[in-house]
Amino acid sequence: PGSPAPRSGTRSTRVSGARVERQRCTAVAGSVVACLVFRRRVARCSVAAGDLPKTVQEMKTELLDILSGGNWDASRVEAAQRVEDLVEALIQGYKDMKMSDQEAQRLLEGKWQLLSTFTPGQAAANVFSLKSWQEYVFGKGPSPVQAAAFTNDAVQRVYQVLDLSVSPKRWYNVIDATPNGIICLEADLTSQDADVQFQWTGGQIIINRPPWSKEDLDQPIRLPYPVPFALLGDRARGIFETVYLDDELRISRGSKSGSVFVLRRESKPLPMEDVYFS
């Protein structure tokens, strides 16, 4: 008759022991998972760090070599991924640099040639891949078309000219369509540190040679750019965040699209610059 009590105690002890054991197993499992995750992250970091050049100059040299190649074959996707990796490494290293506003303004001013523009993560997109198009149309994948054009002759005929010596400061986006002409978009800008806030104000199309002719005009024809920027409000404004800057290379990120722009300083006169800067 007195046996139920011990059974109850034994059962309670067993239940309590089971709970403790489950807690131990959960803790051990959690530790194992955490350890595996940590090791995986370390492995990824180690591979990335070992795979990239060790110095900033080496990374810049490789990046400029890739973007100056001009010819893309079956390894274009791998080259695009390499560009993204190099750009990200340069950006991360730049975060630790301390630069005065005066020095940033000095480096920012001048003429820059666009070498590449891309949306981070688009390197995996392939214009010939059905999966890439499915992810773009039905998901949140990057545009395969933009990925295909992350660097080409058309992209590299775009220039930015930043004139910080005038008031208001000026930004010119120059699209080289020579021998037929030039498209030049103009913006007022303000700059703090190395970031650029701009307001598009107008532009001009300069025709140097009609498409049907093989001869230049005696005098180029100037036409206003057919967009009423004054009526666009916030859509005509934006911010170019500078995420890397030195004497030779500039990397910026657009505020609206998040696209990354890789630009190289240009020392030579731009096509027809005496016409649209006059």
Side-chain angles (χ1 to χ4, degrees):
S3 59
R7 278 199 300 269
S8 176
T10 302
R11 182 184 177 194
S12 176
T13 302
R14 287 175 179 171
V15 171
S16 177
R19 288 175 178 169
V20 170
E21 188 63 26
R22 281 197 301 270
Q23 291 174 352
R24 288 175 179 171
C25 290
T26 301
V28 170
S31 298
V32 170
V33 171
C35 182
L36 290 174
V37 170
F38 175 75
R39 287 180 178 178
R40 193 175 297 117
R41 287 176 177 171
V42 169
R44 282 201 300 262
C45 292
S46 298
V47 170
D51 190 39
L52 290 172
K54 293 182 179 180
T55 69
V56 170
Q57 187 57 49
E58 288 173 340
M59 285 189 283
K60 283 175 47 182
T61 299
E62 182 178 350
L63 177 63
L64 293 174
D65 284 346
I66 294 174
L67 295 180
S68 298
N71 297 316
W72 300 101
D73 51 22
S75 64
R76 189 208 62 79
V77 173
E78 288 78 5
Q81 183 60 62
R82 185 64 173 177
V83 166
E84 287 194 30
D85 292 343
L86 289 165
V87 166
E88 181 60 27
L90 287 168
I91 291 173
Q92 293 303 319
Y94 184 75
K95 290 179 179 179
D96 298 328
M97 296 175 61
K98 302 296 182 183
M99 184 181 298
S100 67
D101 180 68
Q102 183 177 6
E103 177 67 6
Q105 299 294 299
R106 183 190 70 80
L107 291 174
L108 194 60
E109 184 166 17
K111 296 178 287 191
W112 298 89
Q113 178 191 16
L114 180 63
L115 297 180
S116 173
T117 177
F118 61 86
T119 300
Q122 79 172 16
N126 189 331
V127 71
F128 300 109
S129 166
L130 177 60
K131 182 179 179 181
S132 291
W133 282 104
Q134 288 174 335
E135 291 178 351
Y136 174 63
V137 174
F138 300 108
K140 296 184 177 179
S143 165
V145 174
Q146 186 179 7
F150 90 101
T151 180
N152 56 34
D153 289 341
V155 168
Q156 296 186 3
R157 297 183 74 175
V158 176
Y159 300 86
Q160 290 182 5
V161 181
L162 305 180
D163 186 355
L164 309 184
S165 63
V166 298
S167 182
K169 301 173 183 177
R170 298 292 286 166
W171 174 349
Y172 303 89
N173 252 19
V174 179
I175 302 171
D176 174 15
T178 55
N180 298 106
I182 289 288
I183 299 174
C184 181
L185 302 180
E186 304 170 13
D188 291 339
L189 65 84
T190 58
S191 57
Q192 182 174 3
D193 296 328
D195 293 341
V196 174
Q197 300 180 41
F198 60 89
Q199 165 81 53
W200 295 116
T201 58
Q204 53 184 319
I205 300 172
I206 302 174
I207 300 174
N208 183 62
R209 178 187 299 179
W212 59 83
S213 175
K214 295 183 179 181
E215 301 294 331
D216 293 346
L217 298 172
D218 293 335
Q219 291 292 330
I221 299 174
R222 297 172 180 258
L223 301 173
Y225 192 75
V227 175
F229 290 111
L231 303 178
L232 296 182
D234 290 341
R235 288 180 293 173
R237 301 186 184 96
I239 299 175
F240 243 42
E241 178 190 4
T242 300
V243 291
Y244 182 88
L245 179 65
D246 64 22
D247 283 307
E248 182 181 21
L249 185 69
R250 177 171 140 237
I251 303 174
S252 297
R253 182 183 290 117
S255 60
K256 295 183 178 180
S257 64
S259 294
V260 173
F261 299 82
V262 182
L263 304 103
R264 175 176 55 194
R265 189 179 299 280
E266 180 60 67
S267 58
K268 299 178 182 178
L270 301 187
M272 298 179 63
E273 71 172 36
D274 57 327
V275 177
Y276 50 83
F277 287 153
S278 60

